[in-house]
Amino acid sequence: QNIVFIKRENFQNPGKYEEFDFKDYLNIFSFSEPIYYDKKYAVFTKIKTDTNDKTFADTSILIMEKKGSKWEVIKDVGDGIYN
């Protein structure tokens, strides 16, 4: 499956009740700027929706660790319990 990156300013705003014409069902993810970052760890928020729902309701906090040359998610906290 392909990943397409779209800048926020180029994505339609569902709050304006625009007519959308998505021909395919797509998962959509939005990521914050890093909340915390160093050479080994990164923390930021992730919001998930899809082209049927078009609302950003599934929010979680991602904690990533750099292992070698790749970043791995070590915790995806989406249950509202952030400890």
Side-chain angles (χ1 to χ4, degrees):
Q1 185 169 354
N2 294 333
I3 297 175
V4 177
F5 292 94
I6 302 171
K7 290 185 178 182
R8 175 67 183 110
E9 58 267 16
N10 296 331
F11 187 76
Q12 293 99 341
N13 185 346
K16 292 183 179 179
Y17 303 101
E18 298 171 354
E19 287 294 322
F20 295 98
D21 187 21
F22 292 112
K23 295 180 178 30
D24 298 315
Y25 175 85
L26 302 171
N27 285 314
I28 301 169
F29 296 90
S30 176
F31 298 92
S32 72
E33 294 291 325
I35 297 168
Y36 174 82
Y37 171 79
D38 66 20
K39 293 181 180 184
K40 186 170 181 178
Y41 296 101
V43 178
F44 53 93
T45 60
K46 171 192 78 173
I47 302 172
K48 180 182 181 236
T49 189
D50 59 61
T51 50
N52 287 339
D53 188 15
K54 300 179 202 82
T55 60
F56 293 113
D58 187 7
T59 303
S60 62
I61 294 176
L62 291 181
I63 302 170
M64 300 183 77
E65 181 178 14
K66 192 167 188 179
K67 295 183 178 179
S69 62
K70 296 188 178 194
W71 287 93
E72 294 183 21
V73 174
I74 57 172
K75 187 84 172 171
D76 184 349
V77 183
D79 57 9
I81 302 170
Y82 302 113
N83 59 14

